């Protein structure tokens, strides 16, 4: 670890900074079920890390419904998630300590998320951490979201740091693929019920929570 000259740490948002994945899953399940899709709450885990328009497209291809309007369906899901975050969103363990550890080590801090600006604003407001970030990038308007690496590359560019000198922190496999494709060092913090899955070996390091990041950076 000490041989790698990190200059920046780039965080994913959903599932890394805020415990929003349950809100996403509940919102997707509610809206899609109302459209008549035969899916379960657990089925929504299949699209973790994808941009919301990609999520809607994913399910439409598998269970087409009448009156398909990707934007309207996506907006309904996003608005519900944003409302839930403002009402009861909670930071993931160790968030403020991790951000402080990055600052103390003189590292730039970025955010690279598939979530739209509406949700970014909700999270920054709820957790009161907007001032901690040197760059915030969303895949909202990009041609492709994660697992495509563009949002990570854009964040590195905004931070003025070479991708190879960035540490990306992810919780989803789609996000991990994006960060690896961007040629970044990667830390994955999967949900506890997914932590034993072999696929996380694709990351350079797996942690239990952000509480462990300060020690990892000090290695």
């Amino acid at each position: 670890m000490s041989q790698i000259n990190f200059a920046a740490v780039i965080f994913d948002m959903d599932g890394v900074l805020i415990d929003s994945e349950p809100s996403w899953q509940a919102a997707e399940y509610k809206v899609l079920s109302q459209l008549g899709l035969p899916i379960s709450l657990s089925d929504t885990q299949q699209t973790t890390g994808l941009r919301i328009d990609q999520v809607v497209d994913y399910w439409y291809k598998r269970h087409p419904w009448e009156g398909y309007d990707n934007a309207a369906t996506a907006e309904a899901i996003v608005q519900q998630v944003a409302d839930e975050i403002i009402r009861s969103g909670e930071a993931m363990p160790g968030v403020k300590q991790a951000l402080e550890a990055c600052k103390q080590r003189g590292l730039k801090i970025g955010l690279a998320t598939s979530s739209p600006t509406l949700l970014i604003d909700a999270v920054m407001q709820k957790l009161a951490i907007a001032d901690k970030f040197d760059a915030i990038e969303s895949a909202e308007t990009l041609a492709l979201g994660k697992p495509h690496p563009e949002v990570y590359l854009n964040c590195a560019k905004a931070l003025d740091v070479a991708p190879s000198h960035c540490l990306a922190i992810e919780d989803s496999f789609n996000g991990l693929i994006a960060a690896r494709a961007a040629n970044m060092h990667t830390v994955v913090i999967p949900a506890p019920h997914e932590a034993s899955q072999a696929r996380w070996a694709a990351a350079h390091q797996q942690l239990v929570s952000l509480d462990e990041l300060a020690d990892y950076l000090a290695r």
Side-chain angles (χ1 to χ4, degrees):
M1 178 70 184
S2 59
Q3 297 177 352
I4 302 172
N5 183 25
F6 290 124
V9 177
I10 301 178
F11 293 83
D12 173 47
M13 187 174 76
D14 294 285
V16 172
L17 297 180
I18 191 160
D19 186 18
S20 55
E21 294 301 349
S23 297
W24 271 110
Q25 292 164 10
E28 288 172 30
Y29 175 69
K30 179 180 179 180
V31 173
L32 295 173
S33 294
Q34 289 173 343
L35 289 169
L37 274 66
I39 67 170
S40 66
L41 185 60
S42 62
D43 286 337
T44 62
Q45 295 176 12
Q46 297 173 29
T47 56
T48 300
L50 294 181
R51 197 172 60 187
I52 186 59
D53 62 305
Q54 294 174 301
V55 171
V56 176
D57 181 63
Y58 175 95
W59 288 114
Y60 180 71
K61 286 178 177 176
R62 285 154 181 78
H63 304 287
W65 63 87
E66 292 185 10
Y68 176 63
D69 185 332
N70 186 297
T73 302
E75 183 179 356
I77 294 172
V78 169
Q79 187 61 60
Q80 186 166 323
V81 177
D83 291 345
E84 179 66 23
I85 286 173
I86 293 298
R87 182 167 56 251
S88 58
E90 293 186 4
M92 296 296 286
V95 168
K96 294 200 173 180
Q97 296 91 326
L99 292 171
E100 184 58 32
C102 293
K103 288 290 186 183
Q104 288 179 352
R105 299 188 73 82
L107 301 172
K108 293 183 178 180
I109 301 176
L111 181 73
T113 177
S114 295
S115 290
T117 303
L118 176 68
L119 285 188
I120 296 173
D121 291 345
V123 171
M124 293 296 130
Q125 176 185 333
K126 184 66 177 182
L127 303 186
I129 56 174
D131 62 329
K132 305 295 185 184
F133 291 86
D134 300 296
I136 294 176
E137 293 291 329
S138 169
E140 180 179 18
T141 60
L142 301 181
L144 295 169
K146 299 175 185 178
H148 192 281
E150 186 173 6
V151 68
Y152 270 113
L153 295 172
N154 286 351
C155 194
K157 183 177 181 180
L159 291 169
D160 195 26
V161 174
S164 60
H165 289 170
C166 294
L167 171 65
I169 302 180
E170 273 285 350
D171 72 308
S172 75
F173 193 64
N174 284 313
L176 174 58
I177 293 171
R180 287 301 306 255
N183 195 32
M184 294 184 179
H185 199 85
T186 54
V187 163
V188 67
I189 307 176
H193 67 278
E194 297 181 341
S196 63
Q197 295 176 0
R199 62 180 178 169
W200 304 122
H204 293 89
Q205 180 69 39
Q206 181 173 339
L207 301 179
V208 174
S209 76
L210 284 176
D211 284 321
E212 299 178 328
L213 184 63
D215 288 343
Y216 181 69
L217 292 174
R219 291 181 189 176

PDB file of all heavy atoms in Angstrom, residues 34-67:
ATOM      1  N   GLN A  34     -46.572  -1.252  -9.118  1.00  0.00           N
ATOM      2  CA  GLN A  34     -47.768  -0.516  -9.509  1.00  0.00           C
ATOM      3  C   GLN A  34     -47.974  -0.541 -11.021  1.00  0.00           C
ATOM      4  O   GLN A  34     -49.095  -0.397 -11.504  1.00  0.00           O
ATOM      5  CB  GLN A  34     -47.677   0.930  -9.012  1.00  0.00           C
ATOM      6  CG  GLN A  34     -47.812   1.061  -7.501  1.00  0.00           C
ATOM      7  CD  GLN A  34     -47.553   2.480  -7.006  1.00  0.00           C
ATOM      8  OE1 GLN A  34     -46.969   3.305  -7.710  1.00  0.00           O
ATOM      9  NE2 GLN A  34     -47.976   2.761  -5.781  1.00  0.00           N
ATOM     10  N   LEU A  35     -46.871  -0.750 -11.762  1.00  0.00           N
ATOM     11  CA  LEU A  35     -46.953  -0.859 -13.215  1.00  0.00           C
ATOM     12  C   LEU A  35     -47.288  -2.286 -13.651  1.00  0.00           C
ATOM     13  O   LEU A  35     -47.422  -2.564 -14.839  1.00  0.00           O
ATOM     14  CB  LEU A  35     -45.628  -0.424 -13.853  1.00  0.00           C
ATOM     15  CG  LEU A  35     -45.321   1.072 -13.776  1.00  0.00           C
ATOM     16  CD1 LEU A  35     -43.883   1.350 -14.193  1.00  0.00           C
ATOM     17  CD2 LEU A  35     -46.287   1.862 -14.654  1.00  0.00           C
ATOM     18  N   GLY A  36     -47.391  -3.186 -12.670  1.00  0.00           N
ATOM     19  CA  GLY A  36     -47.798  -4.552 -12.960  1.00  0.00           C
ATOM     20  C   GLY A  36     -46.668  -5.545 -13.136  1.00  0.00           C
ATOM     21  O   GLY A  36     -46.898  -6.683 -13.555  1.00  0.00           O
ATOM     22  N   LEU A  37     -45.434  -5.137 -12.802  1.00  0.00           N
ATOM     23  CA  LEU A  37     -44.321  -6.059 -12.977  1.00  0.00           C
ATOM     24  C   LEU A  37     -44.316  -7.131 -11.884  1.00  0.00           C
ATOM     25  O   LEU A  37     -44.498  -6.814 -10.701  1.00  0.00           O
ATOM     26  CB  LEU A  37     -42.984  -5.301 -12.949  1.00  0.00           C
ATOM     27  CG  LEU A  37     -42.532  -4.715 -14.298  1.00  0.00           C
ATOM     28  CD1 LEU A  37     -43.473  -3.619 -14.750  1.00  0.00           C
ATOM     29  CD2 LEU A  37     -41.106  -4.220 -14.205  1.00  0.00           C
ATOM     30  N   PRO A  38     -44.087  -8.391 -12.277  1.00  0.00           N
ATOM     31  CA  PRO A  38     -44.077  -9.497 -11.314  1.00  0.00           C
ATOM     32  C   PRO A  38     -42.707  -9.661 -10.671  1.00  0.00           C
ATOM     33  O   PRO A  38     -42.035 -10.686 -10.835  1.00  0.00           O
ATOM     34  CB  PRO A  38     -44.430 -10.702 -12.188  1.00  0.00           C
ATOM     35  CG  PRO A  38     -43.800 -10.374 -13.506  1.00  0.00           C
ATOM     36  CD  PRO A  38     -43.941  -8.872 -13.666  1.00  0.00           C
ATOM     37  N   ILE A  39     -42.264  -8.658  -9.924  1.00  0.00           N
ATOM     38  CA  ILE A  39     -40.950  -8.742  -9.294  1.00  0.00           C
ATOM     39  C   ILE A  39     -41.093  -8.721  -7.776  1.00  0.00           C
ATOM     40  O   ILE A  39     -42.104  -8.260  -7.238  1.00  0.00           O
ATOM     41  CB  ILE A  39     -40.021  -7.594  -9.747  1.00  0.00           C
ATOM     42  CG1 ILE A  39     -40.525  -6.237  -9.248  1.00  0.00           C
ATOM     43  CG2 ILE A  39     -39.867  -7.589 -11.263  1.00  0.00           C
ATOM     44  CD1 ILE A  39     -39.540  -5.111  -9.452  1.00  0.00           C
ATOM     45  N   SER A  40     -40.062  -9.220  -7.115  1.00  0.00           N
ATOM     46  CA  SER A  40     -40.025  -9.198  -5.651  1.00  0.00           C
ATOM     47  C   SER A  40     -39.071  -8.107  -5.189  1.00  0.00           C
ATOM     48  O   SER A  40     -38.293  -7.563  -5.985  1.00  0.00           O
ATOM     49  CB  SER A  40     -39.542 -10.545  -5.122  1.00  0.00           C
ATOM     50  OG  SER A  40     -38.189 -10.765  -5.487  1.00  0.00           O
ATOM     51  N   LEU A  41     -39.119  -7.796  -3.920  1.00  0.00           N
ATOM     52  CA  LEU A  41     -38.218  -6.790  -3.364  1.00  0.00           C
ATOM     53  C   LEU A  41     -36.762  -7.209  -3.559  1.00  0.00           C
ATOM     54  O   LEU A  41     -35.910  -6.381  -3.906  1.00  0.00           O
ATOM     55  CB  LEU A  41     -38.516  -6.581  -1.876  1.00  0.00           C
ATOM     56  CG  LEU A  41     -37.728  -5.472  -1.165  1.00  0.00           C
ATOM     57  CD1 LEU A  41     -37.985  -4.122  -1.811  1.00  0.00           C
ATOM     58  CD2 LEU A  41     -38.107  -5.429   0.319  1.00  0.00           C
ATOM     59  N   SER A  42     -36.482  -8.486  -3.387  1.00  0.00           N
ATOM     60  CA  SER A  42     -35.101  -8.963  -3.538  1.00  0.00           C
ATOM     61  C   SER A  42     -34.620  -8.879  -4.987  1.00  0.00           C
ATOM     62  O   SER A  42     -33.422  -8.742  -5.241  1.00  0.00           O
ATOM     63  CB  SER A  42     -34.972 -10.397  -3.021  1.00  0.00           C
ATOM     64  OG  SER A  42     -35.777 -11.277  -3.766  1.00  0.00           O
ATOM     65  N   ASP A  43     -35.550  -8.925  -5.933  1.00  0.00           N
ATOM     66  CA  ASP A  43     -35.175  -8.811  -7.348  1.00  0.00           C
ATOM     67  C   ASP A  43     -34.500  -7.479  -7.644  1.00  0.00           C
ATOM     68  O   ASP A  43     -33.666  -7.382  -8.558  1.00  0.00           O
ATOM     69  CB  ASP A  43     -36.404  -8.951  -8.254  1.00  0.00           C
ATOM     70  CG  ASP A  43     -36.911 -10.385  -8.342  1.00  0.00           C
ATOM     71  OD1 ASP A  43     -36.128 -11.313  -8.085  1.00  0.00           O
ATOM     72  OD2 ASP A  43     -38.105 -10.559  -8.654  1.00  0.00           O
ATOM     73  N   THR A  44     -34.847  -6.445  -6.889  1.00  0.00           N
ATOM     74  CA  THR A  44     -34.295  -5.111  -7.156  1.00  0.00           C
ATOM     75  C   THR A  44     -32.796  -5.048  -6.892  1.00  0.00           C
ATOM     76  O   THR A  44     -32.123  -4.121  -7.365  1.00  0.00           O
ATOM     77  CB  THR A  44     -35.009  -4.036  -6.317  1.00  0.00           C
ATOM     78  OG1 THR A  44     -34.792  -4.303  -4.917  1.00  0.00           O
ATOM     79  CG2 THR A  44     -36.506  -4.030  -6.595  1.00  0.00           C
ATOM     80  N   GLN A  45     -32.257  -6.008  -6.176  1.00  0.00           N
ATOM     81  CA  GLN A  45     -30.813  -6.031  -5.918  1.00  0.00           C
ATOM     82  C   GLN A  45     -30.019  -6.268  -7.202  1.00  0.00           C
ATOM     83  O   GLN A  45     -28.830  -5.954  -7.267  1.00  0.00           O
ATOM     84  CB  GLN A  45     -30.479  -7.112  -4.894  1.00  0.00           C
ATOM     85  CG  GLN A  45     -31.060  -6.870  -3.513  1.00  0.00           C
ATOM     86  CD  GLN A  45     -30.787  -8.015  -2.554  1.00  0.00           C
ATOM     87  OE1 GLN A  45     -29.989  -8.908  -2.832  1.00  0.00           O
ATOM     88  NE2 GLN A  45     -31.459  -7.992  -1.417  1.00  0.00           N
ATOM     89  N   GLN A  46     -30.679  -6.786  -8.229  1.00  0.00           N
ATOM     90  CA  GLN A  46     -30.010  -7.074  -9.499  1.00  0.00           C
ATOM     91  C   GLN A  46     -29.498  -5.812 -10.181  1.00  0.00           C
ATOM     92  O   GLN A  46     -28.577  -5.871 -11.005  1.00  0.00           O
ATOM     93  CB  GLN A  46     -30.960  -7.816 -10.445  1.00  0.00           C
ATOM     94  CG  GLN A  46     -31.404  -9.174  -9.945  1.00  0.00           C
ATOM     95  CD  GLN A  46     -32.481  -9.786 -10.831  1.00  0.00           C
ATOM     96  OE1 GLN A  46     -32.537  -9.519 -12.034  1.00  0.00           O
ATOM     97  NE2 GLN A  46     -33.343 -10.594 -10.244  1.00  0.00           N
ATOM     98  N   THR A  47     -30.089  -4.676  -9.866  1.00  0.00           N
ATOM     99  CA  THR A  47     -29.726  -3.441 -10.558  1.00  0.00           C
ATOM    100  C   THR A  47     -28.944  -2.468  -9.670  1.00  0.00           C
ATOM    101  O   THR A  47     -28.766  -1.306 -10.034  1.00  0.00           O
ATOM    102  CB  THR A  47     -30.991  -2.731 -11.078  1.00  0.00           C
ATOM    103  OG1 THR A  47     -31.890  -2.500  -9.982  1.00  0.00           O
ATOM    104  CG2 THR A  47     -31.692  -3.581 -12.120  1.00  0.00           C
ATOM    105  N   THR A  48     -28.459  -2.939  -8.528  1.00  0.00           N
ATOM    106  CA  THR A  48     -27.690  -2.076  -7.634  1.00  0.00           C
ATOM    107  C   THR A  48     -26.488  -1.486  -8.359  1.00  0.00           C
ATOM    108  O   THR A  48     -25.719  -2.198  -8.998  1.00  0.00           O
ATOM    109  CB  THR A  48     -27.192  -2.857  -6.402  1.00  0.00           C
ATOM    110  OG1 THR A  48     -28.321  -3.373  -5.693  1.00  0.00           O
ATOM    111  CG2 THR A  48     -26.403  -1.950  -5.466  1.00  0.00           C
ATOM    112  N   GLY A  49     -26.336  -0.155  -8.271  1.00  0.00           N
ATOM    113  CA  GLY A  49     -25.201   0.524  -8.892  1.00  0.00           C
ATOM    114  C   GLY A  49     -25.474   1.074 -10.270  1.00  0.00           C
ATOM    115  O   GLY A  49     -24.690   1.866 -10.786  1.00  0.00           O
ATOM    116  N   LEU A  50     -26.592   0.670 -10.886  1.00  0.00           N
ATOM    117  CA  LEU A  50     -26.942   1.195 -12.203  1.00  0.00           C
ATOM    118  C   LEU A  50     -27.630   2.549 -12.080  1.00  0.00           C
ATOM    119  O   LEU A  50     -28.264   2.850 -11.076  1.00  0.00           O
ATOM    120  CB  LEU A  50     -27.881   0.228 -12.936  1.00  0.00           C
ATOM    121  CG  LEU A  50     -27.335  -1.146 -13.333  1.00  0.00           C
ATOM    122  CD1 LEU A  50     -28.416  -1.933 -14.069  1.00  0.00           C
ATOM    123  CD2 LEU A  50     -26.096  -1.009 -14.199  1.00  0.00           C
ATOM    124  N   ARG A  51     -27.493   3.368 -13.122  1.00  0.00           N
ATOM    125  CA  ARG A  51     -28.202   4.635 -13.170  1.00  0.00           C
ATOM    126  C   ARG A  51     -29.686   4.362 -13.310  1.00  0.00           C
ATOM    127  O   ARG A  51     -30.095   3.358 -13.893  1.00  0.00           O
ATOM    128  CB  ARG A  51     -27.668   5.443 -14.364  1.00  0.00           C
ATOM    129  CG  ARG A  51     -27.997   6.916 -14.327  1.00  0.00           C
ATOM    130  CD  ARG A  51     -27.256   7.641 -15.439  1.00  0.00           C
ATOM    131  NE  ARG A  51     -27.613   7.123 -16.761  1.00  0.00           N
ATOM    132  CZ  ARG A  51     -27.013   7.479 -17.883  1.00  0.00           C
ATOM    133  NH1 ARG A  51     -26.008   8.322 -17.859  1.00  0.00           N
ATOM    134  NH2 ARG A  51     -27.398   6.981 -19.045  1.00  0.00           N
ATOM    135  N   ILE A  52     -30.523   5.267 -12.808  1.00  0.00           N
ATOM    136  CA  ILE A  52     -31.956   4.986 -12.715  1.00  0.00           C
ATOM    137  C   ILE A  52     -32.610   4.731 -14.072  1.00  0.00           C
ATOM    138  O   ILE A  52     -33.480   3.862 -14.195  1.00  0.00           O
ATOM    139  CB  ILE A  52     -32.702   6.112 -11.943  1.00  0.00           C
ATOM    140  CG1 ILE A  52     -34.165   5.739 -11.728  1.00  0.00           C
ATOM    141  CG2 ILE A  52     -32.531   7.449 -12.621  1.00  0.00           C
ATOM    142  CD1 ILE A  52     -34.383   4.453 -10.948  1.00  0.00           C
ATOM    143  N   ASP A  53     -32.198   5.440 -15.118  1.00  0.00           N
ATOM    144  CA  ASP A  53     -32.793   5.160 -16.432  1.00  0.00           C
ATOM    145  C   ASP A  53     -32.396   3.769 -16.924  1.00  0.00           C
ATOM    146  O   ASP A  53     -33.168   3.090 -17.617  1.00  0.00           O
ATOM    147  CB  ASP A  53     -32.398   6.228 -17.457  1.00  0.00           C
ATOM    148  CG  ASP A  53     -30.903   6.280 -17.698  1.00  0.00           C
ATOM    149  OD1 ASP A  53     -30.160   6.439 -16.712  1.00  0.00           O
ATOM    150  OD2 ASP A  53     -30.470   6.169 -18.860  1.00  0.00           O
ATOM    151  N   GLN A  54     -31.196   3.326 -16.535  1.00  0.00           N
ATOM    152  CA  GLN A  54     -30.756   1.981 -16.891  1.00  0.00           C
ATOM    153  C   GLN A  54     -31.552   0.931 -16.112  1.00  0.00           C
ATOM    154  O   GLN A  54     -31.832  -0.150 -16.629  1.00  0.00           O
ATOM    155  CB  GLN A  54     -29.257   1.822 -16.607  1.00  0.00           C
ATOM    156  CG  GLN A  54     -28.369   2.688 -17.486  1.00  0.00           C
ATOM    157  CD  GLN A  54     -26.914   2.617 -17.070  1.00  0.00           C
ATOM    158  OE1 GLN A  54     -26.556   2.944 -15.941  1.00  0.00           O
ATOM    159  NE2 GLN A  54     -26.052   2.182 -17.966  1.00  0.00           N
ATOM    160  N   VAL A  55     -31.898   1.264 -14.880  1.00  0.00           N
ATOM    161  CA  VAL A  55     -32.715   0.369 -14.062  1.00  0.00           C
ATOM    162  C   VAL A  55     -34.083   0.158 -14.722  1.00  0.00           C
ATOM    163  O   VAL A  55     -34.557  -0.975 -14.882  1.00  0.00           O
ATOM    164  CB  VAL A  55     -32.908   0.933 -12.639  1.00  0.00           C
ATOM    165  CG1 VAL A  55     -33.933   0.105 -11.865  1.00  0.00           C
ATOM    166  CG2 VAL A  55     -31.580   0.955 -11.893  1.00  0.00           C
ATOM    167  N   VAL A  56     -34.714   1.261 -15.100  1.00  0.00           N
ATOM    168  CA  VAL A  56     -36.042   1.186 -15.723  1.00  0.00           C
ATOM    169  C   VAL A  56     -35.967   0.406 -17.033  1.00  0.00           C
ATOM    170  O   VAL A  56     -36.816  -0.446 -17.326  1.00  0.00           O
ATOM    171  CB  VAL A  56     -36.616   2.600 -15.945  1.00  0.00           C
ATOM    172  CG1 VAL A  56     -37.957   2.523 -16.683  1.00  0.00           C
ATOM    173  CG2 VAL A  56     -36.783   3.331 -14.617  1.00  0.00           C
ATOM    174  N   ASP A  57     -34.930   0.684 -17.811  1.00  0.00           N
ATOM    175  CA  ASP A  57     -34.755  -0.024 -19.082  1.00  0.00           C
ATOM    176  C   ASP A  57     -34.516  -1.517 -18.857  1.00  0.00           C
ATOM    177  O   ASP A  57     -35.040  -2.366 -19.597  1.00  0.00           O
ATOM    178  CB  ASP A  57     -33.574   0.585 -19.843  1.00  0.00           C
ATOM    179  CG  ASP A  57     -33.329  -0.078 -21.184  1.00  0.00           C
ATOM    180  OD1 ASP A  57     -34.218  -0.003 -22.049  1.00  0.00           O
ATOM    181  OD2 ASP A  57     -32.259  -0.686 -21.365  1.00  0.00           O
ATOM    182  N   TYR A  58     -33.745  -1.835 -17.827  1.00  0.00           N
ATOM    183  CA  TYR A  58     -33.446  -3.227 -17.477  1.00  0.00           C
ATOM    184  C   TYR A  58     -34.730  -4.011 -17.256  1.00  0.00           C
ATOM    185  O   TYR A  58     -34.909  -5.109 -17.790  1.00  0.00           O
ATOM    186  CB  TYR A  58     -32.586  -3.243 -16.214  1.00  0.00           C
ATOM    187  CG  TYR A  58     -32.274  -4.614 -15.649  1.00  0.00           C
ATOM    188  CD1 TYR A  58     -31.090  -5.264 -15.984  1.00  0.00           C
ATOM    189  CD2 TYR A  58     -33.139  -5.243 -14.748  1.00  0.00           C
ATOM    190  CE1 TYR A  58     -30.783  -6.511 -15.453  1.00  0.00           C
ATOM    191  CE2 TYR A  58     -32.846  -6.488 -14.223  1.00  0.00           C
ATOM    192  CZ  TYR A  58     -31.662  -7.118 -14.571  1.00  0.00           C
ATOM    193  OH  TYR A  58     -31.362  -8.355 -14.039  1.00  0.00           O
ATOM    194  N   TRP A  59     -35.648  -3.425 -16.477  1.00  0.00           N
ATOM    195  CA  TRP A  59     -36.881  -4.139 -16.149  1.00  0.00           C
ATOM    196  C   TRP A  59     -37.876  -4.140 -17.313  1.00  0.00           C
ATOM    197  O   TRP A  59     -38.621  -5.101 -17.503  1.00  0.00           O
ATOM    198  CB  TRP A  59     -37.517  -3.554 -14.886  1.00  0.00           C
ATOM    199  CG  TRP A  59     -36.733  -3.911 -13.672  1.00  0.00           C
ATOM    200  CD1 TRP A  59     -36.036  -3.083 -12.836  1.00  0.00           C
ATOM    201  CD2 TRP A  59     -36.521  -5.236 -13.160  1.00  0.00           C
ATOM    202  NE1 TRP A  59     -35.401  -3.795 -11.852  1.00  0.00           N
ATOM    203  CE2 TRP A  59     -35.688  -5.117 -12.022  1.00  0.00           C
ATOM    204  CE3 TRP A  59     -36.952  -6.497 -13.550  1.00  0.00           C
ATOM    205  CZ2 TRP A  59     -35.280  -6.221 -11.276  1.00  0.00           C
ATOM    206  CZ3 TRP A  59     -36.546  -7.606 -12.811  1.00  0.00           C
ATOM    207  CH2 TRP A  59     -35.723  -7.457 -11.686  1.00  0.00           C
ATOM    208  N   TYR A  60     -37.860  -3.071 -18.102  1.00  0.00           N
ATOM    209  CA  TYR A  60     -38.771  -3.029 -19.254  1.00  0.00           C
ATOM    210  C   TYR A  60     -38.414  -4.124 -20.270  1.00  0.00           C
ATOM    211  O   TYR A  60     -39.301  -4.746 -20.864  1.00  0.00           O
ATOM    212  CB  TYR A  60     -38.731  -1.657 -19.928  1.00  0.00           C
ATOM    213  CG  TYR A  60     -39.660  -1.566 -21.121  1.00  0.00           C
ATOM    214  CD1 TYR A  60     -41.049  -1.529 -20.940  1.00  0.00           C
ATOM    215  CD2 TYR A  60     -39.156  -1.550 -22.421  1.00  0.00           C
ATOM    216  CE1 TYR A  60     -41.909  -1.471 -22.030  1.00  0.00           C
ATOM    217  CE2 TYR A  60     -40.008  -1.489 -23.515  1.00  0.00           C
ATOM    218  CZ  TYR A  60     -41.385  -1.453 -23.307  1.00  0.00           C
ATOM    219  OH  TYR A  60     -42.231  -1.406 -24.388  1.00  0.00           O
ATOM    220  N   LYS A  61     -37.114  -4.364 -20.432  1.00  0.00           N
ATOM    221  CA  LYS A  61     -36.689  -5.399 -21.380  1.00  0.00           C
ATOM    222  C   LYS A  61     -37.099  -6.782 -20.914  1.00  0.00           C
ATOM    223  O   LYS A  61     -37.288  -7.695 -21.731  1.00  0.00           O
ATOM    224  CB  LYS A  61     -35.172  -5.341 -21.581  1.00  0.00           C
ATOM    225  CG  LYS A  61     -34.724  -4.153 -22.423  1.00  0.00           C
ATOM    226  CD  LYS A  61     -33.214  -4.106 -22.560  1.00  0.00           C
ATOM    227  CE  LYS A  61     -32.796  -2.945 -23.461  1.00  0.00           C
ATOM    228  NZ  LYS A  61     -31.323  -2.820 -23.541  1.00  0.00           N
ATOM    229  N   ARG A  62     -37.241  -6.962 -19.617  1.00  0.00           N
ATOM    230  CA  ARG A  62     -37.600  -8.270 -19.072  1.00  0.00           C
ATOM    231  C   ARG A  62     -39.103  -8.430 -18.883  1.00  0.00           C
ATOM    232  O   ARG A  62     -39.625  -9.538 -19.016  1.00  0.00           O
ATOM    233  CB  ARG A  62     -36.862  -8.485 -17.749  1.00  0.00           C
ATOM    234  CG  ARG A  62     -35.392  -8.802 -17.967  1.00  0.00           C
ATOM    235  CD  ARG A  62     -34.524  -8.412 -16.778  1.00  0.00           C
ATOM    236  NE  ARG A  62     -33.113  -8.739 -17.072  1.00  0.00           N
ATOM    237  CZ  ARG A  62     -32.343  -7.975 -17.855  1.00  0.00           C
ATOM    238  NH1 ARG A  62     -32.831  -6.874 -18.407  1.00  0.00           N
ATOM    239  NH2 ARG A  62     -31.091  -8.320 -18.075  1.00  0.00           N
ATOM    240  N   HIS A  63     -39.776  -7.347 -18.571  1.00  0.00           N
ATOM    241  CA  HIS A  63     -41.229  -7.387 -18.345  1.00  0.00           C
ATOM    242  C   HIS A  63     -41.870  -6.139 -18.960  1.00  0.00           C
ATOM    243  O   HIS A  63     -42.228  -5.211 -18.237  1.00  0.00           O
ATOM    244  CB  HIS A  63     -41.548  -7.443 -16.847  1.00  0.00           C
ATOM    245  CG  HIS A  63     -40.902  -8.591 -16.125  1.00  0.00           C
ATOM    246  ND1 HIS A  63     -41.317  -9.890 -16.274  1.00  0.00           N
ATOM    247  CD2 HIS A  63     -39.873  -8.618 -15.248  1.00  0.00           C
ATOM    248  CE1 HIS A  63     -40.575 -10.684 -15.508  1.00  0.00           C
ATOM    249  NE2 HIS A  63     -39.686  -9.931 -14.875  1.00  0.00           N
ATOM    250  N   PRO A  64     -41.987  -6.077 -20.290  1.00  0.00           N
ATOM    251  CA  PRO A  64     -42.538  -4.881 -20.943  1.00  0.00           C
ATOM    252  C   PRO A  64     -43.935  -4.530 -20.428  1.00  0.00           C
ATOM    253  O   PRO A  64     -44.749  -5.420 -20.156  1.00  0.00           O
ATOM    254  CB  PRO A  64     -42.589  -5.285 -22.421  1.00  0.00           C
ATOM    255  CG  PRO A  64     -41.599  -6.395 -22.545  1.00  0.00           C
ATOM    256  CD  PRO A  64     -41.660  -7.140 -21.252  1.00  0.00           C
ATOM    257  N   TRP A  65     -44.171  -3.232 -20.271  1.00  0.00           N
ATOM    258  CA  TRP A  65     -45.500  -2.796 -19.860  1.00  0.00           C
ATOM    259  C   TRP A  65     -46.012  -1.717 -20.800  1.00  0.00           C
ATOM    260  O   TRP A  65     -45.234  -1.072 -21.511  1.00  0.00           O
ATOM    261  CB  TRP A  65     -45.484  -2.295 -18.412  1.00  0.00           C
ATOM    262  CG  TRP A  65     -44.608  -1.083 -18.163  1.00  0.00           C
ATOM    263  CD1 TRP A  65     -44.941   0.234 -18.296  1.00  0.00           C
ATOM    264  CD2 TRP A  65     -43.235  -1.079 -17.719  1.00  0.00           C
ATOM    265  NE1 TRP A  65     -43.901   1.051 -17.971  1.00  0.00           N
ATOM    266  CE2 TRP A  65     -42.839   0.282 -17.602  1.00  0.00           C
ATOM    267  CE3 TRP A  65     -42.320  -2.082 -17.400  1.00  0.00           C
ATOM    268  CZ2 TRP A  65     -41.555   0.650 -17.181  1.00  0.00           C
ATOM    269  CZ3 TRP A  65     -41.046  -1.713 -16.979  1.00  0.00           C
ATOM    270  CH2 TRP A  65     -40.682  -0.374 -16.877  1.00  0.00           C
ATOM    271  N   GLU A  66     -47.319  -1.538 -20.812  1.00  0.00           N
ATOM    272  CA  GLU A  66     -47.932  -0.563 -21.714  1.00  0.00           C
ATOM    273  C   GLU A  66     -47.646   0.860 -21.234  1.00  0.00           C
ATOM    274  O   GLU A  66     -47.510   1.113 -20.037  1.00  0.00           O
ATOM    275  CB  GLU A  66     -49.449  -0.786 -21.785  1.00  0.00           C
ATOM    276  CG  GLU A  66     -49.839  -2.090 -22.465  1.00  0.00           C
ATOM    277  CD  GLU A  66     -51.348  -2.216 -22.618  1.00  0.00           C
ATOM    278  OE1 GLU A  66     -52.054  -1.210 -22.370  1.00  0.00           O
ATOM    279  OE2 GLU A  66     -51.814  -3.311 -22.979  1.00  0.00           O
ATOM    280  N   GLY A  67     -47.577   1.776 -22.193  1.00  0.00           N
ATOM    281  CA  GLY A  67     -47.362   3.175 -21.859  1.00  0.00           C
ATOM    282  C   GLY A  67     -45.972   3.448 -21.319  1.00  0.00           C
ATOM    283  O   GLY A  67     -45.796   4.299 -20.446  1.00  0.00           O
TER     284      GLY A  67
END
